[in-house]
Amino acid sequence: MLKGRHLIEPADLTVSEIDEICRLAEQIIVDPAAFTDVCRGKLLAALFFEPSTRTRLSFEAAMLRLGGSTLGFADASATSATKGETLADTIRVVSAYADIIAMRNPKEGAALLASEYSRVPVINAGDGGHHHPTQTLTDLLTIRALKGSCGGHVIGLCGDLKFGRTVHSLCKAMSRYPNNRFVLISPRELSIPDYITEQVFKKNGIQFTTAERMEEVIGDLDILYMTRVQQERFFNEQDYIRLKDSYILDKEKMKLAKKSLIVLHPLPRVNEIAPEIDEDPRAAYFKQVRYGMFARMALIAKLTGAL
């Protein structure tokens, strides 16, 4: 039973609950008109204490498409936080108005704190470098839709694997499905944290390999999950210059890939995927955006008890 629950991190959901949400999302995709009134009279509060385009609009679109309404803010400077109001008090107030809260906050642990003071379900829309569970639901729904299931894949994760919260969450989530293998493509400076390799992969007997160059491994992949390599993460500018082109996906690299590959990206994209790839049928990152809205529709409907 998901009604009334908070979603702070992907591990808050069992695999069967994730599959339940994805199945509902798939039903909505097939017949969206059947779900246009399920949240009639319900109110989503979108509290975004840091900038967001896709996630905030996706939550708002999701609630509106379910027949509900939204309120909230996209700029913390327009709130009473500038007067010194605590997050706990903000949540106490907002949860008196709304039926569900989606919150993004730059401070790690903010969503968990909010859940302790809220009278209604809190969905973590990103808390610093910690978690972004609805992006993980988006990724899983996209993989289910385009690959048929979340198990039995070779998954390449490319770019900033050290600081990328979406990467960490996806590793944890996809490790719960059978027969997945991971290929970690990054410069040494941005390699995945030890706690992922030790506590997620090795502890659960998950196969993984590492590589510094995409060309060496792209032909083995079923899924390529791209992230941005940020120059500011390097201590040595020469290392960045030497490696940066290795993490730009272009037509030449795609020639080495399977015809069945899908390319995902949590967005925003900067230069790590060349615009020429957008026309490639294997590019799925804009489809991923739409799947994200449906995933959030299903989640909102479940947590509010509408379905």
PDB file of all heavy atoms in Angstrom, residues 150-168:
ATOM      1  N   CYS A 150      13.748  -4.604 -17.065  1.00  0.00           N
ATOM      2  CA  CYS A 150      14.882  -3.937 -16.405  1.00  0.00           C
ATOM      3  C   CYS A 150      16.012  -4.912 -16.092  1.00  0.00           C
ATOM      4  O   CYS A 150      16.988  -4.530 -15.445  1.00  0.00           O
ATOM      5  CB  CYS A 150      14.418  -3.245 -15.120  1.00  0.00           C
ATOM      6  SG  CYS A 150      13.415  -1.785 -15.416  1.00  0.00           S
ATOM      7  N   GLY A 151      15.900  -6.152 -16.538  1.00  0.00           N
ATOM      8  CA  GLY A 151      16.928  -7.145 -16.262  1.00  0.00           C
ATOM      9  C   GLY A 151      17.595  -7.655 -17.523  1.00  0.00           C
ATOM     10  O   GLY A 151      17.051  -7.545 -18.622  1.00  0.00           O
ATOM     11  N   GLY A 152      18.822  -8.190 -17.351  1.00  0.00           N
ATOM     12  CA  GLY A 152      19.520  -8.821 -18.454  1.00  0.00           C
ATOM     13  C   GLY A 152      20.224  -7.875 -19.396  1.00  0.00           C
ATOM     14  O   GLY A 152      20.382  -8.188 -20.575  1.00  0.00           O
ATOM     15  N   HIS A 153      20.704  -6.732 -18.901  1.00  0.00           N
ATOM     16  CA  HIS A 153      21.318  -5.718 -19.755  1.00  0.00           C
ATOM     17  C   HIS A 153      22.774  -5.453 -19.383  1.00  0.00           C
ATOM     18  O   HIS A 153      23.177  -5.628 -18.225  1.00  0.00           O
ATOM     19  CB  HIS A 153      20.545  -4.402 -19.658  1.00  0.00           C
ATOM     20  CG  HIS A 153      19.098  -4.524 -19.979  1.00  0.00           C
ATOM     21  ND1 HIS A 153      18.634  -5.009 -21.184  1.00  0.00           N
ATOM     22  CD2 HIS A 153      17.989  -4.244 -19.239  1.00  0.00           C
ATOM     23  CE1 HIS A 153      17.312  -5.012 -21.183  1.00  0.00           C
ATOM     24  NE2 HIS A 153      16.896  -4.552 -20.013  1.00  0.00           N
ATOM     25  N   VAL A 154      23.529  -4.989 -20.370  1.00  0.00           N
ATOM     26  CA  VAL A 154      24.860  -4.418 -20.129  1.00  0.00           C
ATOM     27  C   VAL A 154      24.686  -2.902 -20.150  1.00  0.00           C
ATOM     28  O   VAL A 154      24.320  -2.327 -21.180  1.00  0.00           O
ATOM     29  CB  VAL A 154      25.882  -4.860 -21.186  1.00  0.00           C
ATOM     30  CG1 VAL A 154      27.251  -4.241 -20.888  1.00  0.00           C
ATOM     31  CG2 VAL A 154      25.986  -6.380 -21.234  1.00  0.00           C
ATOM     32  N   ILE A 155      24.931  -2.290 -19.001  1.00  0.00           N
ATOM     33  CA  ILE A 155      24.619  -0.877 -18.814  1.00  0.00           C
ATOM     34  C   ILE A 155      25.911  -0.080 -18.690  1.00  0.00           C
ATOM     35  O   ILE A 155      26.705  -0.295 -17.775  1.00  0.00           O
ATOM     36  CB  ILE A 155      23.785  -0.677 -17.526  1.00  0.00           C
ATOM     37  CG1 ILE A 155      22.554  -1.568 -17.557  1.00  0.00           C
ATOM     38  CG2 ILE A 155      23.410   0.789 -17.338  1.00  0.00           C
ATOM     39  CD1 ILE A 155      22.127  -2.056 -16.205  1.00  0.00           C
ATOM     40  N   GLY A 156      26.135   0.825 -19.624  1.00  0.00           N
ATOM     41  CA  GLY A 156      27.292   1.708 -19.569  1.00  0.00           C
ATOM     42  C   GLY A 156      26.918   3.026 -18.927  1.00  0.00           C
ATOM     43  O   GLY A 156      25.935   3.660 -19.307  1.00  0.00           O
ATOM     44  N   LEU A 157      27.680   3.421 -17.928  1.00  0.00           N
ATOM     45  CA  LEU A 157      27.485   4.703 -17.252  1.00  0.00           C
ATOM     46  C   LEU A 157      28.708   5.554 -17.561  1.00  0.00           C
ATOM     47  O   LEU A 157      29.839   5.160 -17.253  1.00  0.00           O
ATOM     48  CB  LEU A 157      27.343   4.493 -15.746  1.00  0.00           C
ATOM     49  CG  LEU A 157      26.194   3.567 -15.330  1.00  0.00           C
ATOM     50  CD1 LEU A 157      26.381   3.067 -13.915  1.00  0.00           C
ATOM     51  CD2 LEU A 157      24.866   4.284 -15.461  1.00  0.00           C
ATOM     52  N   CYS A 158      28.493   6.711 -18.183  1.00  0.00           N
ATOM     53  CA  CYS A 158      29.619   7.466 -18.726  1.00  0.00           C
ATOM     54  C   CYS A 158      29.636   8.903 -18.241  1.00  0.00           C
ATOM     55  O   CYS A 158      28.607   9.575 -18.231  1.00  0.00           O
ATOM     56  CB  CYS A 158      29.543   7.456 -20.258  1.00  0.00           C
ATOM     57  SG  CYS A 158      30.908   8.326 -21.052  1.00  0.00           S
ATOM     58  N   GLY A 159      30.833   9.367 -17.852  1.00  0.00           N
ATOM     59  CA  GLY A 159      31.012  10.769 -17.496  1.00  0.00           C
ATOM     60  C   GLY A 159      31.394  10.960 -16.051  1.00  0.00           C
ATOM     61  O   GLY A 159      32.332  10.342 -15.551  1.00  0.00           O
ATOM     62  N   ASP A 160      30.645  11.818 -15.370  1.00  0.00           N
ATOM     63  CA  ASP A 160      30.913  12.118 -13.961  1.00  0.00           C
ATOM     64  C   ASP A 160      30.203  11.090 -13.094  1.00  0.00           C
ATOM     65  O   ASP A 160      29.055  11.260 -12.719  1.00  0.00           O
ATOM     66  CB  ASP A 160      30.443  13.532 -13.628  1.00  0.00           C
ATOM     67  CG  ASP A 160      30.739  13.920 -12.180  1.00  0.00           C
ATOM     68  OD1 ASP A 160      31.233  13.059 -11.417  1.00  0.00           O
ATOM     69  OD2 ASP A 160      30.484  15.075 -11.809  1.00  0.00           O
ATOM     70  N   LEU A 161      30.914  10.026 -12.773  1.00  0.00           N
ATOM     71  CA  LEU A 161      30.327   8.964 -11.957  1.00  0.00           C
ATOM     72  C   LEU A 161      30.569   9.196 -10.474  1.00  0.00           C
ATOM     73  O   LEU A 161      29.953   8.531  -9.640  1.00  0.00           O
ATOM     74  CB  LEU A 161      30.905   7.606 -12.365  1.00  0.00           C
ATOM     75  CG  LEU A 161      30.854   7.267 -13.860  1.00  0.00           C
ATOM     76  CD1 LEU A 161      31.275   5.820 -14.089  1.00  0.00           C
ATOM     77  CD2 LEU A 161      29.485   7.539 -14.453  1.00  0.00           C
ATOM     78  N   LYS A 162      31.412  10.142 -10.154  1.00  0.00           N
ATOM     79  CA  LYS A 162      31.746  10.409  -8.750  1.00  0.00           C
ATOM     80  C   LYS A 162      30.676  11.242  -8.058  1.00  0.00           C
ATOM     81  O   LYS A 162      30.246  10.934  -6.942  1.00  0.00           O
ATOM     82  CB  LYS A 162      33.100  11.120  -8.648  1.00  0.00           C
ATOM     83  CG  LYS A 162      33.562  11.376  -7.212  1.00  0.00           C
ATOM     84  CD  LYS A 162      34.963  11.962  -7.196  1.00  0.00           C
ATOM     85  CE  LYS A 162      35.464  12.152  -5.764  1.00  0.00           C
ATOM     86  NZ  LYS A 162      36.846  12.689  -5.740  1.00  0.00           N
ATOM     87  N   PHE A 163      30.228  12.290  -8.728  1.00  0.00           N
ATOM     88  CA  PHE A 163      29.310  13.241  -8.102  1.00  0.00           C
ATOM     89  C   PHE A 163      27.864  13.108  -8.595  1.00  0.00           C
ATOM     90  O   PHE A 163      26.969  13.768  -8.067  1.00  0.00           O
ATOM     91  CB  PHE A 163      29.785  14.679  -8.352  1.00  0.00           C
ATOM     92  CG  PHE A 163      31.143  14.968  -7.779  1.00  0.00           C
ATOM     93  CD1 PHE A 163      32.269  14.962  -8.589  1.00  0.00           C
ATOM     94  CD2 PHE A 163      31.311  15.229  -6.423  1.00  0.00           C
ATOM     95  CE1 PHE A 163      33.524  15.228  -8.065  1.00  0.00           C
ATOM     96  CE2 PHE A 163      32.568  15.489  -5.894  1.00  0.00           C
ATOM     97  CZ  PHE A 163      33.681  15.490  -6.716  1.00  0.00           C
ATOM     98  N   GLY A 164      27.632  12.269  -9.609  1.00  0.00           N
ATOM     99  CA  GLY A 164      26.313  12.199 -10.218  1.00  0.00           C
ATOM    100  C   GLY A 164      25.316  11.393  -9.401  1.00  0.00           C
ATOM    101  O   GLY A 164      25.391  10.171  -9.353  1.00  0.00           O
ATOM    102  N   ARG A 165      24.351  12.067  -8.779  1.00  0.00           N
ATOM    103  CA  ARG A 165      23.373  11.372  -7.934  1.00  0.00           C
ATOM    104  C   ARG A 165      22.481  10.462  -8.765  1.00  0.00           C
ATOM    105  O   ARG A 165      22.036   9.415  -8.295  1.00  0.00           O
ATOM    106  CB  ARG A 165      22.533  12.381  -7.148  1.00  0.00           C
ATOM    107  CG  ARG A 165      21.658  13.294  -8.004  1.00  0.00           C
ATOM    108  CD  ARG A 165      21.016  14.409  -7.202  1.00  0.00           C
ATOM    109  NE  ARG A 165      20.304  15.330  -8.081  1.00  0.00           N
ATOM    110  CZ  ARG A 165      19.905  16.537  -7.719  1.00  0.00           C
ATOM    111  NH1 ARG A 165      20.153  16.964  -6.491  1.00  0.00           N
ATOM    112  NH2 ARG A 165      19.264  17.315  -8.558  1.00  0.00           N
ATOM    113  N   THR A 166      22.219  10.839 -10.023  1.00  0.00           N
ATOM    114  CA  THR A 166      21.370   9.997 -10.858  1.00  0.00           C
ATOM    115  C   THR A 166      22.064   8.673 -11.160  1.00  0.00           C
ATOM    116  O   THR A 166      21.423   7.623 -11.223  1.00  0.00           O
ATOM    117  CB  THR A 166      21.005  10.703 -12.172  1.00  0.00           C
ATOM    118  OG1 THR A 166      22.207  11.060 -12.865  1.00  0.00           O
ATOM    119  CG2 THR A 166      20.201  11.965 -11.912  1.00  0.00           C
ATOM    120  N   VAL A 167      23.379   8.722 -11.342  1.00  0.00           N
ATOM    121  CA  VAL A 167      24.161   7.508 -11.604  1.00  0.00           C
ATOM    122  C   VAL A 167      24.126   6.583 -10.402  1.00  0.00           C
ATOM    123  O   VAL A 167      23.911   5.369 -10.525  1.00  0.00           O
ATOM    124  CB  VAL A 167      25.611   7.877 -11.971  1.00  0.00           C
ATOM    125  CG1 VAL A 167      26.514   6.650 -11.915  1.00  0.00           C
ATOM    126  CG2 VAL A 167      25.670   8.515 -13.351  1.00  0.00           C
ATOM    127  N   HIS A 168      24.352   7.148  -9.213  1.00  0.00           N
ATOM    128  CA  HIS A 168      24.377   6.328  -7.997  1.00  0.00           C
ATOM    129  C   HIS A 168      23.025   5.653  -7.776  1.00  0.00           C
ATOM    130  O   HIS A 168      22.952   4.463  -7.444  1.00  0.00           O
ATOM    131  CB  HIS A 168      24.733   7.192  -6.791  1.00  0.00           C
ATOM    132  CG  HIS A 168      26.043   7.913  -6.941  1.00  0.00           C
ATOM    133  ND1 HIS A 168      26.433   8.945  -6.112  1.00  0.00           N
ATOM    134  CD2 HIS A 168      27.058   7.754  -7.823  1.00  0.00           C
ATOM    135  CE1 HIS A 168      27.617   9.378  -6.481  1.00  0.00           C
ATOM    136  NE2 HIS A 168      28.019   8.674  -7.523  1.00  0.00           N
TER     137      HIS A 168
END
